[in-house]
Amino acid sequence: MPTEKFYNLKEGKKQAILEAAGDELLETPYSLLTVSRIIQKAGISRASFYYYFSDKEDLFRHLREEMKNHFIKVVEKALRQKQGNFREGFQAVISTMLEDGGFRKNCCLYQRMVEDTECHNQAVRQEAAFHEKEGLREFVKNCQGLLNPELYPGLDEEKTVCLMELGVLVVAKTLFLYLIGSEKKEYLEGIAGVQLEILDRGARALPRKS
């Protein structure tokens, strides 16, 4: 993980370093990307780089974590805006990410990272940690209260974990199909809407918690 010195930087400076690293990765395969190229793009010294990160892998591990955190924030914001309605919230997540100009760039960055064997293994471990029960439970706790209990009176913590994971999987599948160009955006949004509605109806029909 980055050092405390990196976290203490102004937000603009932090993002400038991460964006520079990402831009460089889009031009250079991960295995050939060096700290020298990164610091040249970011406009910082080698000493500063190692002041913030232990190595190249540390930087890109953090970049992947930032992508995940951005997604979580999008989910939280959408659920709040839709007053805790699961279907409408996740539908809004899909629409937001499909219209986000930075979304395609982030996906290209992620693809470039996982093309490298070592980086791929690290990415898989990060994703697995999130989708394990405790990782998802933490995600749900962060979103606690975002689902309207009047709409979903039968949801306890375990069922909420399951529902949120299924919602994430619908989003991931929809975005993946859009990126590979298999279908038009409107069609994919429609299919995702049906899938989310089925999940939503099932969640509403659960027996009320005792």
XYZ file of all heavy atoms in Angstrom, residues 94 98 104 173-192:
190
model
N -25.627 1.345 -13.814
C -25.288 0.934 -15.176
C -25.315 2.127 -16.125
O -24.376 2.343 -16.908
C -26.256 -0.169 -15.652
C -26.004 -1.457 -14.865
C -26.090 -0.423 -17.155
C -27.001 -2.563 -15.140
N -22.013 3.643 -18.106
C -21.985 3.599 -19.565
C -21.790 4.988 -20.158
O -21.251 5.136 -21.258
C -23.277 2.983 -20.097
C -23.460 1.481 -19.865
C -24.805 1.031 -20.418
C -22.335 0.682 -20.504
N -14.407 3.793 -19.943
C -13.713 2.973 -20.936
C -12.206 2.993 -20.701
O -11.535 1.968 -20.837
C -14.039 3.462 -22.348
C -13.435 2.601 -23.449
C -13.887 3.081 -24.817
N -15.303 2.852 -25.013
C -15.811 1.714 -25.466
N -14.998 0.699 -25.745
N -17.104 1.577 -25.643
N -21.446 -7.853 -15.868
C -21.737 -8.535 -17.131
C -22.194 -7.550 -18.197
O -21.755 -7.611 -19.353
C -22.817 -9.589 -16.911
C -23.075 -10.473 -18.128
C -24.494 -10.998 -18.174
C -25.474 -9.894 -18.485
N -26.845 -10.373 -18.721
N -23.058 -6.607 -17.799
C -23.573 -5.620 -18.753
C -22.459 -4.744 -19.308
O -22.367 -4.516 -20.520
C -24.636 -4.734 -18.070
O -25.678 -5.564 -17.548
C -25.223 -3.746 -19.055
N -21.577 -4.285 -18.421
C -20.475 -3.426 -18.852
C -19.492 -4.187 -19.729
O -18.968 -3.649 -20.716
C -19.764 -2.843 -17.631
C -20.627 -1.968 -16.712
C -19.801 -1.435 -15.555
C -21.269 -0.824 -17.479
N -19.248 -5.452 -19.399
C -18.340 -6.263 -20.204
C -18.886 -6.443 -21.622
O -18.156 -6.267 -22.608
C -18.136 -7.626 -19.545
C -17.375 -8.602 -20.400
C -16.005 -8.481 -20.572
C -18.035 -9.641 -21.053
C -15.300 -9.368 -21.378
C -17.354 -10.532 -21.863
C -15.978 -10.394 -22.022
N -20.167 -6.770 -21.737
C -20.766 -6.969 -23.055
C -20.765 -5.675 -23.867
O -20.586 -5.690 -25.085
C -22.188 -7.500 -22.903
C -22.316 -8.927 -22.353
C -23.785 -9.284 -22.155
C -21.644 -9.930 -23.290
N -20.944 -4.565 -23.174
C -20.906 -3.281 -23.873
C -19.508 -2.985 -24.403
O -19.341 -2.524 -25.539
C -21.358 -2.173 -22.924
C -21.257 -0.786 -23.523
C -22.102 -0.384 -24.547
C -20.298 0.122 -23.068
C -22.012 0.886 -25.104
C -20.204 1.387 -23.609
C -21.058 1.768 -24.630
O -20.956 3.017 -25.178
N -18.512 -3.270 -23.595
C -17.136 -2.970 -23.985
C -16.671 -3.798 -25.172
O -15.911 -3.325 -26.019
C -16.192 -3.176 -22.809
C -16.196 -2.060 -21.764
C -15.363 -2.454 -20.559
C -15.672 -0.762 -22.355
N -17.107 -5.051 -25.238
C -16.678 -5.894 -26.367
C -17.565 -5.668 -27.585
O -17.340 -6.276 -28.640
C -16.646 -7.388 -25.994
C -18.066 -7.904 -25.676
C -15.704 -7.626 -24.838
C -18.100 -9.403 -25.430
N -18.568 -4.799 -27.437
C -19.392 -4.421 -28.577
C -20.353 -5.486 -29.053
O -20.722 -5.503 -30.235
N -20.767 -6.376 -28.148
C -21.637 -7.467 -28.577
C -23.068 -6.999 -28.853
O -23.763 -7.562 -29.687
C -21.653 -8.577 -27.523
O -22.232 -8.110 -26.318
N -23.515 -5.959 -28.141
C -24.875 -5.453 -28.317
C -24.886 -3.935 -28.114
O -23.954 -3.371 -27.552
C -25.836 -6.103 -27.312
C -25.967 -7.613 -27.425
C -26.736 -8.058 -28.649
O -27.311 -7.175 -29.330
O -26.767 -9.275 -28.931
N -25.961 -3.297 -28.555
C -26.108 -1.864 -28.359
C -26.427 -1.560 -26.896
O -26.983 -2.381 -26.189
C -27.220 -1.322 -29.259
C -26.872 -1.364 -30.743
C -27.970 -0.728 -31.571
C -27.608 -0.723 -33.055
N -28.679 -0.107 -33.887
N -26.080 -0.352 -26.499
C -26.243 0.056 -25.111
C -27.699 -0.058 -24.664
O -27.974 -0.563 -23.571
C -25.759 1.499 -24.933
C -25.884 2.007 -23.501
C -25.283 3.386 -23.352
C -26.155 4.438 -23.994
N -25.709 5.818 -23.654
N -28.638 0.386 -25.497
C -30.045 0.375 -25.109
C -30.535 -1.046 -24.849
O -31.301 -1.301 -23.908
C -30.897 1.037 -26.186
C -30.649 2.527 -26.375
C -29.352 2.837 -27.109
O -28.779 1.897 -27.720
O -28.917 4.000 -27.065
N -30.098 -1.992 -25.696
C -30.512 -3.385 -25.537
C -29.961 -3.957 -24.230
O -30.679 -4.618 -23.470
C -30.027 -4.213 -26.715
C -30.275 -5.698 -26.563
C -31.531 -6.237 -26.820
C -29.257 -6.554 -26.157
C -31.765 -7.598 -26.664
C -29.480 -7.913 -26.000
C -30.745 -8.432 -26.261
O -30.965 -9.772 -26.093
N -28.688 -3.696 -23.970
C -28.053 -4.217 -22.753
C -28.695 -3.628 -21.503
O -28.897 -4.329 -20.512
C -26.558 -3.917 -22.778
C -25.746 -4.669 -23.838
C -24.320 -4.147 -23.883
C -25.756 -6.162 -23.566
N -29.010 -2.343 -21.548
C -29.672 -1.721 -20.403
C -31.046 -2.343 -20.169
O -31.472 -2.534 -19.023
C -29.814 -0.213 -20.629
C -28.517 0.547 -20.463
C -28.698 2.041 -20.597
O -29.137 2.495 -21.667
O -28.413 2.768 -19.634
N -31.735 -2.681 -21.260
C -33.042 -3.310 -21.140
C -32.966 -4.691 -20.503
O -33.755 -5.028 -19.610
N -32.007 -5.508 -20.962
C -31.822 -6.848 -20.396
C -31.433 -6.754 -18.926
O -31.941 -7.501 -18.085
C -30.752 -7.622 -21.180
C -31.236 -7.905 -22.612
C -30.395 -8.921 -20.474
C -32.456 -8.786 -22.680
N -30.524 -5.850 -18.621
C -30.109 -5.673 -17.222
C -31.290 -5.259 -16.361
O -31.435 -5.706 -15.220
C -28.998 -4.628 -17.130
